[in-house]
Amino acid sequence: MGLKTFIQGWPVYRQLTGTDPLGRGAAAQSARSAELTARTETADGVARSVCPYCAVGCGQRVFHKDGRVTQIEGDPDSPISRGRLCPKGSASKSLVTSPLRQTKVRYRRPYATEWEDLDLDVALDMIADRILAARDETWEDVDDEGRPLNRTLGISSLGGATLDNEENYLIKKLFTAMGALQIENQARI
């Protein structure tokens, strides 16, 4: 390597002699940084989501490759967060990819001291059985004066703050069809 080639490799030389006098573009780029690619560039696709933490509802873009989450960042199209995430939302990829994440249904029977793993179908059947039992035990056909009620006060719903309008609509329809009256969403409290 000659002296001329060596000097031309300096970023300050490229900055002074090139089209980047402020050194914010090509002049500041090394051969190594020119080879780098964004973490999102190799993704198979991107899904839009909502941050799972607080009630603000910041938009997220979830990048995935081969069925695995590779990166989560703020969604610039979100009118709520305009591409920004708090430190907790920025670290939400670890919520999905952590080796400590529970991936099985865990159940502790009444008065038991140990947790046990259940199949998802068994757990869903247990939930359905308990909902039906609570509904049957607390169902009210009519009031004391014979007016129709067709309701239960034994079931209620408190939705999470990160549920979107479509999810809240479906939850409202489901619980209303079961006769529940107490249907609320955390974002309104």
Side-chain angles (χ1 to χ4, degrees):
M1 174 192 300
L3 182 60
K4 183 177 179 182
T5 308
F6 179 70
I7 290 174
Q8 287 176 341
W10 286 357
V12 71
Y13 176 81
R14 293 193 307 265
Q15 182 179 344
L16 294 174
T17 61
T19 58
D20 186 16
L22 297 177
R24 295 181 180 167
Q29 193 173 45
S30 69
R32 164 119 168 74
S33 61
E35 295 173 0
L36 297 175
T37 60
R39 290 180 286 217
T40 58
E41 196 170 299
T42 59
D44 292 338
V46 61
R48 296 188 188 279
S49 186
V50 178
C51 181
Y53 287 109
C54 73
V56 173
C58 296
Q60 291 184 324
R61 295 187 339 175
V62 181
F63 294 87
H64 55 88
K65 182 177 178 79
D66 299 327
R68 302 187 72 68
V69 173
T70 57
Q71 179 68 15
I72 297 177
E73 52 184 48
D75 186 355
D77 295 331
S78 169
I80 296 167
S81 58
R82 296 179 297 181
R84 299 178 193 96
L85 293 174
C86 70
K88 205 168 185 179
S90 296
S92 59
K93 177 184 170 223
S94 64
L95 177 71
V96 179
T97 60
S98 171
L100 301 175
R101 182 178 183 201
Q102 289 292 331
T103 58
K104 297 180 180 176
V105 176
R106 305 282 291 162
Y107 178 67
R108 189 171 61 111
R109 297 189 183 279
Y111 308 107
T113 57
E114 300 294 324
W115 291 90
E116 62 182 279
D117 292 340
L118 292 180
D119 289 331
L120 180 60
D121 290 336
V122 172
L124 289 174
D125 286 344
M126 290 172 68
I127 292 168
D129 291 343
R130 291 174 184 185
I131 288 173
L132 292 174
R135 184 177 183 266
D136 290 343
E137 290 171 15
T138 60
W139 185 257
E140 299 175 1
D141 282 319
V142 295
D143 65 7
D144 294 337
E145 297 176 17
R147 293 178 293 205
L149 294 175
N150 297 324
R151 69 179 186 193
T152 178
L153 300 178
I155 302 171
S156 63
S157 172
L158 175 59
T162 59
L163 294 173
D164 61 28
N165 288 341
E166 290 80 9
E167 292 167 322
N168 279 317
Y169 174 79
L170 292 173
I171 289 170
K172 172 71 173 159
K173 294 286 275 185
L174 171 67
F175 278 82
T176 301
M178 290 190 302
L181 298 180
Q182 301 96 339
I183 306 166
E184 189 56 81
N185 186 288
Q186 178 185 351
R188 291 175 20 113
I189 294 178

